[in-house]
Every structure is written in structure tokens, then in C-alpha cells.
């Protein structure tokens, strides 16, 4: 870290991979580091490198790049900031219609026509998003972020390096699979208590008499016991070793 060239304030220029690794290790060992990167210097290093390509300093990169489902993405406000700093940016206008629950975002790039994207409650329902926790809590904000993400990506893919919004990536998290028709799930058998050895020894002569007299067989005795208790291997073996008398054979 001592060889890094200081710029304005605390901005630093990393001159080697080793210095970048050192920086990532320092940042991810602090409490100010976003929780998803704490202790993960490798992930942080990749995020910092990706952010550098888009003009974000290391801290900005870690604050605004999220890795969701193994895919890097940008939070919606960071996407807007990057686009607004792009030399081809002209303007952006975002509106919301509460009657139709529709968010719209119009972006203008130099030399191009205004480009508008919309996202409505109906779109969210069709996409299976409506009713999820975040959508239920912040419906207007989520609709706004989806319309914004589409519009900015359509017009400024070069500024965003192909990254999608973190809000969109989060919505693509795997859902429980639809198993189709309802399936009957057999309940697991309850765990039976082990047969106490003292009680086993006390009752053994009775079982021995029943088997030797031919009134019950070994399997019948075992089945009767296992309706309430679990037998150990030794106990099972002892019952099975009871010999039949000649009259019971």
C-alpha cells in the first residue's frame, strides 16, 4: 500500500494486482464494508475492478455493485448516476400513474430520439413479482426501478457494461418449484423410544413362553413390541434366538 500514488483526498491509484488485493483485504475487514463483502476479499476485488471500468472508485464500487445469484448488478440509483455522467446523456424523465399503477421512464441520448419504457402492476403480475415481500412493501418504487432499468440499459449499455439493476436481479432469485398437481406426502414415522433393558429382561420370560408354547412366533412378538418401542440389535437377536420346543414346531 505504501507505493500507491495519492490523488485528490483519499482516492488512490492502484499500480499492481498485489496492491489491489491489499486494498480489498483492508476494506473487507472493516465494519464500514457492505455486509455481503465482509471477509470476501476476492469478491470485493472483482467488484472493484468492474467498478473501475465504469469510473467508480473502490468504495463506490462496493457500495453500488451487488452480486446476486452469482451475477454482478447495479443498484438503480447507481445506474442513473453513471448514465448522467456519460457524455452522451441529455435528459431523463420519470413519471408514475397511480390510477393504472404504471411507472414510465423516458431517456434521451445525444443524437437520438426520446426512448420510453414502462412497467405496470399488470406487468409485475404477469412476471410473478406482484405480492412478493419487497413489491408488497414498496410497489411504486419497485415499478419505478424496473422501468428505469429497462430504459437506461436500452440507451446506455456502454455506460453500464451490460449490468442489469440489482432490483431486477433480486427478483430473479429462484422461487420454490411448482410441483404441478398436489402430491401426497407420507408423514414420517414418529421416532420410537428404545425399549429399556430392565423392562426387556423383565418381560423376556413371558415372550419365551409364548414362543415355545406356539401361541406366538418370533415376528409376532417383535411386531407387537415395535408398535411402542424400538428394539436394539441385541434385543432383536435375543428374541430371534428363542428356540421352539418340539411341540411348538
Amino acid at each position: 500500500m505504501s507505493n500507491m500514488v495519492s490523488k485528490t483526498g483519499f482516492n488512490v491509484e492502484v499500480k499492481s494486482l498485489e496492491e489491489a488485493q491489499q486494498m480489498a483485504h483492508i476494506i473487507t475487514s472493516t465494519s464500514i464494508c457492505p455486509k455481503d463483502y465482509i471477509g470476501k476479499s476476492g469478491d470485493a476485488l472483482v467488484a472493484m475492478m468492474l467498478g473501475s471500468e465504469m469510473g467508480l472508485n473502490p468504495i463506490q464500487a462496493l457500495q453500488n455493485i451487488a452480486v446476486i445469484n452469482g451475477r454482478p448488478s447495479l443498484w438503480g440509483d447507481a445506474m442513473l448516476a453513471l448514465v448522467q455522467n456519460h457524455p452522451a446523456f441529455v435528459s431523463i424523465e420519470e413519471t408514475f400513474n397511480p390510477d393504472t399503477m404504471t411507472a414510465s421512464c423516458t431517456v434521451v441520448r445525444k443524437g437520438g430520439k426520446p426512448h420510453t419504457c414502462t412497467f405496470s402492476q399488470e406487468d409485475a403480475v404477469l412476471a410473478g413479482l406482484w405480492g412478493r415481500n419487497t413489491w408488497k412493501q414498496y410497489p411504486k418504487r419497485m415499478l419505478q426501478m424496473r422501468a428505469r432499468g429497462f430504459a437506461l440499459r436500452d440507451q446506455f449499455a456502454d455506460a453500464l457494461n451490460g449490468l442489469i439493476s440489482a432490483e431486477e436481479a433480486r427478483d430473479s432469485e429462484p422461487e420454490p418449484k411448482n410441483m404441478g398437481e398436489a402430491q401426497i406426502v407420507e408423514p414420517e414415522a414418529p421416532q420410537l423410544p428404545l425399549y429399556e433393558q430392565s423392562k426387556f429382561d423383565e418381560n423376556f420370560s413371558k415372550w419365551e413362553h409364548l414362543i415355545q408354547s406356539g401361541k406366538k412366533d418370533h415376528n409376532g412378538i417383535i411386531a407387537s413390541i415395535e408398535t411402542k418401542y424400538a428394539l436394539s440389535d441385541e434385543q432383536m437377536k435375543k428374541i430371534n434366538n428363542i428356540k421352539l420346543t418340539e411341540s411348538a414346531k
Side-chain angles (χ1 to χ4, degrees), residues 148-164:
R148 175 191 292 181
F150 288 158
L152 296 181
R153 285 164 55 199
D154 286 348
Q155 293 296 294
F156 288 91
D158 53 341
L160 302 175
N161 278 19
L163 297 186
I164 65 173

Side-chain angles (χ1 to χ4, degrees), residues 30-45:
T30 66
S31 58
I32 198 173
C33 177
K35 64 178 183 179
D36 290 340
Y37 288 109
I38 291 178
K40 300 178 180 178
S41 59
D43 289 357
L45 177 59

Side-chain angles (χ1 to χ4, degrees), residues 133-180:
N133 288 340
T134 308
W135 283 80
K136 188 185 299 182
Q137 295 168 341
Y138 311 104
K140 180 178 177 180
R141 177 68 172 173
M142 297 307 293
L143 292 168
Q144 177 192 13
M145 289 298 100
R146 189 56 69 93
R148 175 191 292 181
F150 288 158
L152 296 181
R153 285 164 55 199
D154 286 348
Q155 293 296 294
F156 288 91
D158 53 341
L160 302 175
N161 278 19
L163 297 186
I164 65 173
S165 71
E167 291 82 2
E168 183 180 349
R170 186 171 53 190
D171 286 337
S172 66
E173 289 182 354
E175 289 291 297
K177 292 183 179 179
N178 181 0
M179 301 302 291

Side-chain angles (χ1 to χ4, degrees), residues 192-204 207 225-226 228-232 234-236 238-239:
L192 296 174
L194 287 173
Y195 205 111
E196 292 182 15
Q197 189 60 42
S198 59
K199 192 172 182 180
F200 178 89
D201 294 336
E202 180 182 336
N203 291 318
F204 183 77
W207 302 325
I225 296 171
E226 290 187 329
K228 295 182 179 181
Y229 302 98
L231 292 167
S232 68
E234 277 300 316
Q235 291 170 340
M236 189 93 66
K238 189 171 182 180
I239 293 174

Side-chain angles (χ1 to χ4, degrees), residues 81-114:
L82 287 171
V83 168
Q84 288 176 325
N85 284 328
H86 195 280
F89 174 79
V90 174
S91 66
I92 181 173
E93 181 180 1
E94 294 178 288
T95 61
F96 186 81
N97 186 332
D99 296 327
T100 61
M101 290 293 287
T102 302
S104 65
C105 180
T106 300
V107 181
V108 181
R109 183 177 177 126
K110 285 182 181 179
K113 298 179 180 180

Side-chain angles (χ1 to χ4, degrees), residues 58-77:
I59 298 297
Q60 289 174 329
L62 296 181
Q63 291 288 347
N64 294 293
I65 296 176
V67 179
I68 301 175
N69 292 330
R71 182 177 181 180
S73 54
L74 278 168
W75 292 108
D77 292 334

